[in-house]
Amino acid sequence: MSLLSIRDLVTEFESPSGTARAVDGVSFDVAPGEIFGIVGESGCGKSATCRSILRLFGGAPARIAGGRILLDGAGDLAAMRERELAQVRGRDVAFIFQDPLTALNPTMRIGRQIGEVIRRHRDVTRAEARDAALQLLRDVHVTSPERRLDAYPHELSGGLRQRVVIAMALALRPRLIIADEPTTALDVTVQDQILRLLKERCDSLGTSIILITHDLGVVSQICDRMAVMYAGRVVETGAVREVLDAPSHPYTRALLAALPGQVGRDSELVPIGGAPPSLIDPPPGCRFAPRCVFAQPQCRIGAPPALRARAGAGEGHLDACILNEVCHAAA
Ligand SMILES: Nc1ncnc2c1ncn2[C@@H]1O[C@H](COP(=O)(O)OP(=O)(O)OP(=O)(O)O)[C@@H](O)[C@H]1O
Ligand SMILES: [Mg+2]
């Protein structure tokens, strides 16, 4: 059973030079309690995919142009009216942004901010909300939580602020947390603590996480399953151990060779030559073909290939390469 099923999602951004299909037919499932990682180069549509779930486009000229976002028990979020979706935000699904300052109101004390999240959805008094906020700060291991309740965001370090953001995300015990590079803005030493904390809290509450990250080491350590995106599409998905240990799409393999992470740590990093295609007018066929060392003429025609299981692949391990058997043999 899935908590979230995204099916054929299409999300477009309007720009002066045309309509960019930032998300072009993305499908994946997240199970209850699961941590699902999304990786891929900058601009491939990771944030656009996740922002589509709660329609949090931050004022950008974006719209969902197709597909379904099925949340167990709530229906299709893509088809919901804004008012209904506002109820889902925070209560069922919470979002953690990269920069904690964007999530916090600079003019409101921490305790009040956490309390307001609770009061927006629950009928509790200010004092009850404050007590709940205090407990949430303890849960995320904020030191001197009583004192922090009365602090303003700028009085806290980046790591503490992100703990507060996590406390706010957990305030209503959502079933899903979407974390878009939640630690990129933090010191390296703090990043690991924050991710561990997020995982620990979600494990204990049974909350699922969609985690967007550039760090394959992080995916390897904390995610259960993952998707690799390229130019608006998922090119490979499966259990983390399958995808990282036996990557089958040439893009995944190139990514593993190019990024510092568990794979390739001891070997020389090989950057991927070339650049991703435009999402306004992408080339036909496989979008990675222009950069792929295995590409054949048939890779550059028709619709982009769909995800499918390769012979011998583990359950749920899919990739979108029409040559997958051939190029695998050649590698
Ligand atoms: N505010 C915007 N206005 C216009 N187009 C946008 C906007 N934000 C994103 N896009 C388009 O959507 C594409 C995907 O962007 P998205 O932010 O989802 O990438 P990403 O994978 O999250 O990248 P990063 O790793 O840099 O965060 C971009 O390549 C761009 O074409
Ligand atoms: Mg992003």
Side-chain angles (χ1 to χ4, degrees):
M1 193 207 55
S2 292
L3 172 67
L4 182 79
S5 292
I6 296 188
R7 288 289 168 273
D8 308 314
L9 180 67
V10 177
T11 301
E12 297 176 339
F13 285 90
E14 291 304 331
S15 76
S17 39
T19 303
R21 281 214 157 169
V23 182
D24 191 7
V26 163
S27 301
F28 61 84
D29 283 68
V30 180
E34 178 171 76
I35 306 187
F36 189 85
I38 303 182
V39 301
E41 279 166 292
S42 186
C44 70
K46 304 181 296 295
S47 295
T49 298
C50 289
R51 284 165 175 269
S52 299
I53 298 171
L54 291 176
R55 255 179 269 161
L56 289 174
F57 295 117
R63 67 176 193 117
I64 296 175
R68 286 170 298 155
I69 301 169
L70 302 167
L71 181 67
D72 176 49
D76 183 2
L77 306 188
M80 259 183 199
R81 285 199 202 119
E82 179 53 39
R83 249 178 55 195
E84 286 173 273
L85 193 62
Q87 290 298 310
V88 172
R89 287 191 198 118
R91 187 191 62 190
D92 299 303
V93 183
F95 207 104
I96 297 177
F97 292 93
Q98 180 173 328
D99 180 2
L101 276 182
T102 60
L104 297 170
N105 180 339
T107 66
M108 205 189 273
R109 294 178 199 273
I110 297 301
R112 175 93 187 278
Q113 291 199 48
I114 303 176
E116 292 291 305
V117 173
I118 300 169
R119 277 159 57 82
R120 210 173 298 147
H121 291 271
R122 300 229 174 99
D123 188 19
V124 294
T125 63
R126 274 216 179 148
E128 286 167 339
R130 190 180 163 90
D131 286 348
L134 180 61
Q135 185 55 46
L136 282 160
L137 289 182
R138 287 195 187 110
D139 291 344
V140 296
H141 313 309
V142 163
T143 49
S144 326
E146 289 87 356
R147 193 155 57 81
R148 308 290 188 194
L149 281 178
D150 292 318
Y152 287 98
H154 69 88
E155 297 174 299
L156 307 180
S157 67
L160 265 181
R161 272 183 219 136
Q162 200 60 312
R163 282 178 196 266
V164 169
V165 169
I166 292 173
M168 277 166 74
L170 292 167
L172 297 160
R173 305 195 163 207
R175 291 186 289 161
L176 173 66
I177 286 186
I178 303 167
D180 190 350
E181 308 206 40
T183 59
T184 316
L186 305 175
D187 290 348
V188 179
T189 48
V190 183
Q191 289 185 1
D192 194 46
Q193 294 167 17
I194 294 290
L195 282 171
R196 273 176 213 279
L197 169 73
L198 185 63
K199 180 173 162 56
E200 170 211 303
R201 295 307 306 145
C202 289
D203 276 351
S204 76
L205 296 169
T207 305
S208 305
I209 305 175
I210 298 178
L211 178 68
I212 299 179
T213 174
H214 275 107
D215 190 336
L216 287 166
V218 164
V219 172
S220 162
Q221 273 170 32
I222 80 164
C223 295
D224 302 303
R225 288 190 315 118
M226 66 187 289
V228 180
M229 285 188 71
Y230 186 79
R233 298 182 60 88
V234 173
V235 295
E236 183 160 355
T237 183
V240 164
R241 286 276 65 84
E242 286 265 335
V243 175
L244 295 185
D245 294 349
S248 56
H249 195 286
Y251 175 65
T252 313
R253 289 202 241 147
L255 192 66
L256 288 175
L259 289 181
Q262 43 118 218
V263 184
R265 183 183 290 155
D266 304 325
S267 55
E268 205 178 313
L269 302 178
V270 187
I272 308 174
S278 155
L279 297 172
I280 294 176
D281 189 18
C286 173
R287 289 175 186 174
F288 185 58
R291 301 169 80 187
C292 179
V293 294
F294 303 105
Q296 301 295 313
Q298 65 266 37
C299 296
R300 299 170 194 263
I301 51 175
L307 286 169
R308 57 181 188 162
R310 189 165 42 82
E315 204 197 326
H317 185 187
L318 313 172
D319 74 76
C321 175
I322 56 166
L323 302 172
N324 50 21
E325 260 83 38
V326 183
C327 71
H328 219 72

